[in-house]
Amino acid sequence: MTRKKVTLAYIANDAARKATFKKRKKGLMKKVSELSTLCGIEACAIVYSPYQAEPEVWPSTLGARRAIARFKNMSEMDQSKRMVNQQGFIRQRIVKAEEQLKKQLRENREKEIGQVMYRALVGEGLQGLTIVDLNDLGWMLDKTGKEIEERIKKLKKSAPDSEQAAPVELQADKSSEEDNGEAAPKSNAAFNDVVAAEAMQNQPWYMDLLKPRNEGNAMSLGRNDLMPSYPYKNPTPPWSNFYFP
Amino acid sequence: MAKKPSLGRQKIAISKIPKKNHLQVTFSKRRSGLFKKASELCTLCGVDIGIIVFSPASKVFSFGHPEVEFIIERFLAQDPAPPDSGECRLIEAHRNANLRDLNGILTQVLEELEAERKRGEALDEMRRESQRQCWWEAPIDELGLCELEQLGGSMEELKKNVMRWINELMKSENSS
């Protein structure tokens, strides 16, 4: 079965056009038959062609006459309400495609601005951006910021203990959290791991956020009031570092 | 926000669908697809077609080229050829020219759509790549509490800088 992209235009080549006609007419009849059977509805299809005098008809001449009769029995309004010709149909398709395009453009823009945001977070400058870009960036920061707040609230609800809790209490909390079944075990485990690590190493927790993640890619982060506000990564970053210790 | 993968194409038995909702959805989609195939056949091969379909709720949908009524009349009259005259040919020529234009526009929009979809996939791939290297690019749901607070703080800082920078730009725009 060839899957070439076909241009939506009259096929000039006679042989190609005839071959396409045969195939697609057959496919069309199959589709109308399936529709009728699957949904238990009445239908008919009539196809004229320059290749034969009589039209090709589904389900049969008699079946088509019956469908036409039922059609004509309906009011003018019912008939024309969902009636369409080529012009109308193609216009509908254009409208639909334009809506999808608008949606896709918006999604892509969001993804782009997200990228800009993450790059800015690691120190890439804001210079090249237009005011429009900056506004969108601000919007994205607000939106993500809100999501973070929500998530923090949720996590704090199911892990009400303070961050400086001793390991012993942590164990108890961990099991009670599991009992609740409310907390996301993964993120709480991360939280507990970090706090436990801190408690064990006897250092302020924010100094040593060496968190192995994704193939042991360890990075250290600064706390806002102690170190530069932007988190800085390990020595081989994809983008240039703003602050390098 | 990744799109949830749908069930995709599944083989289906050709017999009446038992569930009413499923039946209605299938009718809607397949009717639309049927008209699309008919429209393409008309465009590609320049033939006249008429389709009448009754919905499960007994509403009627119809597609016709050049018009549903013409096809019906021609069929009932058992007319081998459509009425032909100078006037008819002129009308037909106009109609075809108009359809050529519309198809041209449709093709263009579909191409743009396809291009944007590809761009979207490329952006997704870039995001996935950088997520492997930077933990803070992971979805919010996957971050731990202190990571979130860290990230939130950095974002607030950045937001302040952005607002400051916007003001700078607007000031220089006003003065120039």
Side-chain angles (χ1 to χ4, degrees):
Chain A
M1 193 95 352
T2 47
R3 281 271 176 263
K4 283 183 291 217
K5 181 163 184 194
V6 179
T7 324
L8 224 52
Y10 182 72
I11 298 174
N13 183 305
D14 292 338
R17 188 174 68 250
K18 186 170 184 185
T20 300
F21 174 75
K22 254 185 96 182
K23 272 196 215 149
R24 281 180 173 256
K25 174 187 53 96
K26 186 173 172 204
L28 189 72
M29 295 311 184
K30 183 174 177 207
K31 288 282 184 185
V32 68
S33 168
E34 288 180 350
L35 176 59
S36 175
T37 307
L38 285 171
C39 303
I41 50 102
E42 186 171 4
C44 76
I46 301 165
V47 178
Y48 284 97
S49 79
Y51 310 117
Q52 57 184 67
E54 294 301 312
E56 181 131 350
V57 184
W58 189 92
S60 60
T61 309
L62 184 57
R65 282 179 190 276
R66 246 205 314 262
I68 290 173
R70 184 177 167 191
F71 178 76
K72 286 187 151 192
N73 260 339
M74 303 178 79
S75 69
E76 275 298 315
M77 203 174 96
D78 285 339
Q79 284 179 31
S80 55
K81 199 167 186 199
R82 294 172 187 85
M83 184 190 290
V84 70
N85 60 13
Q86 268 282 64
Q87 217 186 49
F89 188 73
I90 296 172
R91 284 222 173 93
Q92 285 173 13
R93 280 192 73 185
I94 291 175
V95 169
K96 218 181 292 181
E98 282 179 341
E99 280 172 15
Q100 290 177 323
L101 179 61
K102 226 167 70 176
K103 183 173 173 220
Q104 189 66 49
L105 282 167
R106 207 181 335 126
E107 280 181 23
N108 286 357
R109 175 69 176 167
E110 274 194 40
K111 289 177 193 172
E112 256 188 340
I113 291 295
Q115 260 191 10
V116 169
M117 179 178 78
Y118 285 119
R119 286 187 193 170
L121 278 173
V122 295
E124 204 167 283
L126 301 173
Q127 279 81 1
L129 302 174
T130 67
I131 291 188
V132 177
D133 295 335
L134 290 166
N135 273 326
D136 289 346
L137 179 55
W139 174 87
M140 185 103 233
L141 283 164
D142 286 339
K143 176 167 178 259
T144 318
K146 248 179 241 157
E147 281 177 33
I148 291 179
E149 272 178 46
E150 293 286 318
R151 185 75 186 157
I152 289 180
K153 253 186 248 162
K154 221 174 128 189
L155 288 179
K156 282 204 166 142
K157 253 181 34 183
S158 35
D161 292 304
S162 74
E163 291 140 7
Q164 267 77 26
V168 176
E169 285 176 0
L170 278 175
Q171 297 303 76
D173 284 338
K174 204 168 177 179
S175 55
S176 72
E177 278 153 25
E178 280 164 10
D179 286 343
N180 279 343
E182 210 188 45
K186 190 171 170 198
S187 19
N188 273 318
F191 172 62
N192 291 335
D193 278 349
V194 168
V195 183
E198 166 264 310
M200 287 193 291
Q201 291 175 14
N202 217 21
Q203 273 182 340
W205 65 273
Y206 43 72
M207 287 300 288
D208 192 6
L209 273 172
L210 280 169
K211 175 115 187 48
R213 236 183 202 266
N214 301 339
E215 293 100 42
N217 203 11
M219 21 196 118
S220 37
L221 305 162
R223 180 109 165 117
N224 287 350
D225 51 352
L226 276 190
M227 298 194 204
S229 52
Y230 302 127
Y232 47 92
K233 313 170 26 260
N234 66 27
T236 52
W239 313 293
S240 55
N241 268 348
F242 197 50
Y243 293 103
F244 202 93
Chain B
M1 255 50 74
K3 201 164 100 162
K4 242 194 197 133
S6 65
L7 281 174
R9 305 184 94 155
Q10 294 191 318
K11 200 131 203 232
I12 188 171
I14 304 298
S15 56
K16 184 162 178 195
I17 295 170
K19 280 208 145 156
K20 193 172 172 200
N21 298 344
H22 186 193
L23 192 149
Q24 181 57 51
V25 170
T26 301
F27 174 79
S28 199
K29 288 185 172 179
R30 277 181 177 253
R31 187 219 40 93
S32 173
L34 180 68
F35 281 20
K36 183 175 167 210
K37 289 283 187 186
S39 172
E40 289 179 349
L41 183 49
C42 290
T43 300
L44 293 170
C45 304
V47 293
D48 293 349
I49 297 181
I51 299 183
I52 298 175
V53 170
F54 294 90
S55 78
S58 295
K59 302 275 185 249
V60 68
F61 294 78
S62 55
F63 171 90
H65 176 63
E67 301 288 343
V68 172
E69 289 113 337
F70 294 2
I71 302 287
I72 289 179
E73 296 318 308
R74 187 174 162 191
F75 175 72
L76 292 179
Q78 290 171 307
D79 214 339
D84 194 20
S85 71
E87 193 185 324
C88 281
R89 289 206 208 130
L90 188 60
I91 294 174
E92 197 186 322
H94 272 292
R95 187 192 300 128
N96 286 341
N98 183 235
L99 289 176
R100 261 200 305 275
D101 290 340
L102 285 175
N103 272 320
I105 296 173
L106 177 60
T107 302
Q108 210 178 316
V109 179
L110 289 175
E111 279 173 9
E112 282 181 49
L113 180 60
E114 178 63 27
E116 282 306 312
R117 286 208 172 126
K118 283 216 169 92
R119 206 170 133 243
E121 280 174 27
L123 286 167
D124 286 340
E125 183 55 41
M126 284 169 77
R127 180 78 195 269
R128 274 194 293 267
E129 263 304 313
S130 51
Q131 278 182 345
R132 268 172 232 149
Q133 315 221 356
C134 324
W135 62 261
W136 55 87
E137 293 205 24
I140 305 293
D141 291 339
E142 291 177 18
L143 296 173
L145 186 58
C146 23
E147 292 167 328
L148 286 170
E149 294 183 326
Q150 184 72 235
L151 189 55
S154 296
M155 284 201 174
E156 278 177 39
E157 278 294 313
L158 180 56
K159 178 78 199 289
K160 284 188 207 141
N161 277 347
V162 169
M163 297 317 280
R164 223 184 305 138
W165 191 233
I166 291 179
N167 280 331
E168 290 287 323
L169 286 183
M170 290 182 79
K171 255 191 270 172
S172 63
E173 248 183 41
N174 284 338
S175 59
S176 60

